[in-house]
Amino acid sequence: MTRSEDRLTAAFVAVALVALFGGALTGVFQALEHSGLNVYPSTPLVKSYYHSLTLHGVLNVLVWTTFFICGFVPFLVTRALGRPLALPGLAWLTFWVMLGGLVLAAIPLLGNAATVMFTFYPPLKAHWAFYVGLTLVVVGTWLVTLNLALTWRAWRRQHPAERTPLAAFMGLVTFAMWTIASLGIAAEMLVMLIPWSLGLIGGTDPLLARVLFWFTGHPIVYFWLLPAYMSWYALVPRQAGGKLFSDPLARTSFILFLVLSTPLGFHHQYTDPGIHVGWKLVHAFLTFAVFFPSLLTFFNVVASLESGARARGGRGWVAWFARLPWGDPSLAAQVLAMLLFTFGGIGGLINASYNLNLVVHNTAWIVGHLHLTVGTAVTLTFMGICYWLVPHLAGRALWSRRLALAQVWTWFVGMIVFSNTLHRLGLMGMPRRTMIGAAAYVQPEWKVLLPLVGAGGALLFLSSVLFFLNLVLTLVASRAPAPAVPAFSEALSGADHAPAILDRWRPWIALAFVLIAIAYGPTLVRLALTTPFNTPGLRVW
Amino acid sequence: MATRKATTVYLYELAWILPSFAIPVGMLVALVVTAFGAGIHLPGQERRIDPTKVAETAPFDTPGLVELAPGQYEVRMTAQIWAFAPNEIRVPAGSTVHFWATSKDVVHGLLIPKVHVNVMLLPGQVAHAVARFDTPGEYPIICHEYCGIAHHTMAGKVIVEAAR
């Protein structure tokens, strides 16, 4: 590994961490607001609850995730392939395009000129720089895909008969899936929102915009999750002292994610008028289909952890779990992330359940759900990765292992309190994305639970402060050299047992497009032909 | 030895794959049965409306409650920043109420917890939802999509009176 790749990864991860800090800070303001403490009159930069909420969403789910992934995935892929990126110059150009886009979007965002949430549903109309900036970030991710594909092709020429190493395979699938999925948001930006925000076209259409947004908006959660799965499959088994249970099953589940991630976005639009219920049901079916590779992952990862715990002397059906190396904060973070993700997965099935969605759609339940998925399965895993990645990039050992363990457990406990409370409030009908402390319709049964939102949020904020403190002290105060990067896991059942077709790209990508054409084609064609684009934009914040 | 290990892994895989397949299929069957057997329906494809001419377009030119038959009501409702019209509806217990609604400006939502009215109100689209109010009392009507700086003030109520 050349130092150049490390510097690139360090640049992406640094931007990601700055974003996460902003996201955590705005997050605690919102949690406190729900428990009755309105801090906004005294925050200098943040103008309102909704300004804060937009910053929180954009910084956490769009910036923190995307920049971390664009740093971490190429890092693992190049190590797994044992060769540098095909085009290092392009890789740096990619970074600057994405950073430039981020700065462009950040100007209206910080200036309260784009308080439209991370979903930016028109006809809420943000400043054009917000849409152009985010589009540049997406374009940057396509350049990462290109670079990874060229790197893999160069590797393939030298190793025509070998199986693609698992971590490289997973990284390529992640970016291939994302590139297909991002076509929806690219179309929304380029055809609708950018020309409209620049005044080139007069009107827009909320329904078509939402269809294009959710075309990307559901698979984006797999874009966040699959890099976490990469760590769970390729690194965590060895960190736990064991082996990956089944390499072929891991490849199978990733191929299924490539094929099935996109054609199911209507499950975010079950309650939208203007989409036929028959197509909503088709998307419900496909959402349940993508649950299948998630269950495969669950089994494979838990079986791998078990192999580690048993090698360390673990016994019994369940008691082995205590024998995992809990003293390693990187492993503890990721195992606790998996544990909470189990509940996130079950909640996700409820959201996807067509008519059951009527109970939870746009309520606080959804906020509870996504803090278990992107807020824990992804974020706590990435934090666990940071505990070896940042020391490696900085060339210094982590400042304090104990502080890191305290951070991980605080996140776990804080998230249980925070997320469980929001799930319950959602079932009681409390809406999401609402300044509840000032709402006119707060029900007596909500009032009992609202202080717990603040308490959970405060614990999560404390956890993030411990996280950043440890990383900063690692950079400025740690003197010991960094330990080695975790090695890739060996497998009990290796790549040679995997069917050869799993190493081919075209059939799977073609199948993904066929499913998208079936699931989205008729609705998109109808909307493209009949949409009048006659809704004017508004700035109402 | 290597073969035996691989076979064991394979058997474990199979023992997991089959239920992993059966669980989602079983859930889907339950879902379809409740959707069609119990008659719980999602909002569907109704019709378009010109979002700039809602006030001139029937039935939204006369927002309000209409009694279609004894115990059967229709509400013609418009949403705009930051109010529903009408924002208070009175019906006797046991009534079935059809909500026909649309938005005059940005995306709003129509949420009535407990009776599971949950539908997005998009400019340009007519939305439809049905609820049955059996128990007397006050039911909040809540806008559950961010619609601007005073979103949290956008609400109304259904007052269900004991049957006459």
Side-chain angles (χ1 to χ4, degrees):
Chain A
M1 184 57 44
T2 62
R3 290 280 296 149
S4 160
E5 252 88 33
D6 280 5
R7 279 204 301 276
L8 185 70
T9 299
F12 273 110
V13 170
V15 176
L17 289 170
V18 170
L20 181 66
F21 184 75
L25 192 62
T26 44
V28 74
F29 294 165
Q30 287 141 220
L32 292 176
E33 194 282 333
H34 273 39
S35 59
L37 193 66
N38 181 7
V39 298
Y40 298 107
S42 51
T43 48
L45 190 65
V46 182
K47 298 282 190 292
S48 69
Y49 177 84
Y50 299 105
H51 188 204
S52 171
L53 188 56
T54 301
L55 286 166
H56 179 71
V58 172
L59 289 174
N60 281 340
V61 308
L62 300 182
V63 184
W64 150 245
T65 51
T66 306
F67 276 77
F68 188 88
I69 289 162
C70 288
F72 173 65
V73 171
F75 178 88
L76 272 198
V77 170
T78 49
R79 284 179 92 86
L81 294 177
R83 61 183 307 131
L85 283 172
L87 301 173
L90 178 69
W92 278 105
L93 177 71
T94 304
F95 173 74
W96 290 111
V97 166
M98 289 177 68
L99 186 64
L102 176 60
V103 170
L104 197 58
I107 295 167
L109 197 57
L110 290 170
N112 199 23
T115 300
V116 293
M117 306 291 141
F118 74 88
T119 45
F120 45 86
Y121 297 138
L124 294 176
K125 193 175 189 179
H127 191 275
W128 61 265
F130 176 73
Y131 303 116
V132 173
L134 287 186
T135 306
L136 286 174
V137 173
V138 173
V139 169
T141 62
W142 295 344
L143 298 177
V144 176
T145 311
L146 177 68
N147 221 335
L148 291 179
L150 292 173
T151 308
W152 177 80
R153 210 171 65 170
W155 175 88
R156 174 53 88 206
R157 278 203 206 100
Q158 288 187 342
H159 307 82
E162 276 179 48
R163 304 308 295 258
T164 307
L166 183 64
F169 174 82
M170 292 176 158
L172 286 156
V173 168
T174 302
F175 272 86
M177 183 282 296
W178 164 249
T179 302
I180 298 170
S182 59
L183 294 176
I185 213 165
E188 184 193 4
M189 288 292 196
L190 295 175
V191 179
M192 298 180 71
L193 299 185
I194 291 176
W196 172 64
S197 64
L198 288 168
L200 302 175
I201 52 176
T204 187
D205 185 69
L207 179 65
L208 180 58
R210 286 164 69 87
V211 170
L212 292 172
F213 180 85
W214 287 112
F215 181 103
T216 304
H218 189 73
I220 202 174
V221 306
Y222 299 113
F223 180 56
W224 305 329
L225 268 174
L226 294 187
Y229 286 4
M230 283 172 73
S231 175
W232 297 358
Y233 274 121
L235 302 172
V236 164
R238 180 170 311 244
Q239 287 178 289
K243 291 182 173 179
L244 172 62
F245 189 75
S246 167
D247 175 299
L249 207 58
R251 285 175 201 260
T252 307
S253 71
F254 263 63
I255 284 291
L256 287 171
F257 281 119
L258 173 63
V259 171
L260 292 171
S261 288
T262 307
L264 35 76
F266 285 169
H267 76 238
H268 289 258
Q269 297 182 278
Y270 284 149
T271 65
D272 275 22
I275 299 171
H276 196 277
V277 288
W279 289 115
K280 292 178 179 176
L281 195 60
V282 168
H283 284 228
F285 277 53
L286 285 161
T287 311
F288 277 74
V290 84
F291 184 46
F292 178 60
S294 300
L295 279 171
L296 296 186
T297 299
F298 176 80
F299 164 70
N300 210 349
V301 169
V302 173
S304 308
L305 287 176
E306 187 177 341
S307 86
R310 290 203 187 284
R312 294 167 52 86
R315 301 257 178 284
W317 282 63
V318 184
W320 58 264
F321 198 64
R323 275 300 182 97
L324 289 168
W326 288 102
D328 172 4
S330 175
L331 181 102
Q334 298 188 62
V335 174
L336 293 178
M338 293 170 198
L339 213 58
L340 287 187
F341 187 46
T342 311
F343 298 99
I346 294 168
L349 279 175
I350 292 169
N351 304 342
S353 292
Y354 195 69
N355 39 25
L356 213 52
N357 183 265
L358 290 176
V359 184
V360 297
H361 175 78
N362 259 7
T363 68
W365 166 285
I366 303 299
V367 185
H369 169 73
L370 63 90
H371 280 85
L372 289 180
T373 53
V374 64
T376 302
V378 174
T379 296
L380 192 52
T381 294
F382 288 0
M383 285 171 159
I385 292 168
C386 282
Y387 282 140
W388 60 259
L389 182 61
V390 172
H392 167 74
L393 297 173
R396 297 153 187 260
L398 187 66
W399 187 71
S400 167
R401 186 181 62 89
R402 287 182 170 206
L403 188 64
L405 282 172
Q407 182 270 317
V408 166
W409 282 97
T410 317
W411 192 276
F412 181 70
V413 174
M415 190 54 83
I416 290 175
V417 174
F418 181 75
S419 165
N420 179 271
T421 309
L422 285 170
H423 275 92
R424 289 165 67 189
L425 284 164
L427 290 179
M428 295 172 181
M430 189 176 98
R432 71 185 283 203
R433 294 182 158 181
T434 303
M435 191 178 178
I436 289 297
Y441 44 75
V442 175
Q443 304 290 302
E445 69 261 34
W446 304 356
K447 284 188 183 147
V448 187
L449 289 175
L450 282 169
L452 288 175
V453 177
L459 278 176
L460 290 168
F461 183 65
L462 171 67
S463 176
S464 11
V465 169
L466 299 182
F467 176 69
F468 287 109
L469 184 68
N470 211 348
L471 295 189
V472 169
L473 287 171
T474 299
L475 295 180
V476 301
S478 174
R479 291 286 169 264
V485 167
F488 292 116
S489 309
E490 290 174 38
L492 283 170
S493 166
D496 43 331
H497 294 127
I501 189 156
L502 292 180
D503 247 26
R504 295 187 51 201
W505 294 105
R506 280 180 202 163
W508 304 114
I509 290 172
L511 186 58
F513 275 109
V514 168
L515 284 177
I516 289 168
I518 293 170
Y520 269 111
T523 306
L524 274 179
V525 168
R526 174 175 65 82
L527 290 177
L529 295 177
T530 60
T531 295
F533 299 100
N534 57 355
T535 307
L538 282 168
R539 179 179 162 160
V540 287
W541 61 87
Chain B
M1 186 61 203
T3 323
R4 218 184 76 196
K5 198 175 74 187
T7 313
T8 314
V9 169
Y10 177 72
L11 287 175
Y12 274 115
E13 285 173 0
L14 206 63
W16 185 263
I17 286 173
L18 295 178
S20 297
F21 197 74
I23 292 169
V25 170
M27 287 173 159
L28 264 179
V29 171
L31 185 156
V32 172
V33 168
T34 50
F36 296 95
I40 305 165
H41 294 300
L42 295 183
Q45 192 180 327
E46 301 298 343
R47 60 181 188 274
R48 276 198 180 271
I49 181 171
D50 185 336
T52 58
K53 297 195 173 68
V54 172
E56 298 105 280
T57 310
F60 302 106
D61 49 349
T62 53
L65 182 74
V66 178
E67 185 171 1
L68 302 174
Q72 295 285 327
Y73 293 86
E74 180 177 291
V75 183
R76 294 133 182 205
M77 183 179 262
T78 58
Q80 65 188 93
I81 51 169
W82 290 283
F84 293 104
N87 65 3
E88 189 178 308
I89 296 157
R90 279 173 192 273
V91 290
S95 298
T96 300
V97 182
H98 289 257
F99 292 86
W100 292 93
T102 191
S103 165
K104 288 179 168 179
D105 40 44
V106 296
V107 177
H108 297 282
L110 174 61
L111 172 70
I112 309 178
K114 293 178 189 155
V115 292
H116 308 312
V117 169
N118 192 333
V119 58
M120 304 308 299
L121 306 181
L122 309 181
Q125 297 288 336
V126 175
H128 176 222
V130 190
R132 198 182 145 88
F133 294 90
D134 282 325
T135 314
E138 268 193 28
Y139 296 74
I141 300 174
I142 297 169
C143 173
H144 69 357
E145 183 58 77
Y146 166 68
C147 59
I149 194 68
H151 158 56
H152 48 276
T153 63
M154 183 164 168
K157 56 189 160 194
V158 179
I159 298 165
V160 179
E161 297 166 327
R164 279 160 285 184

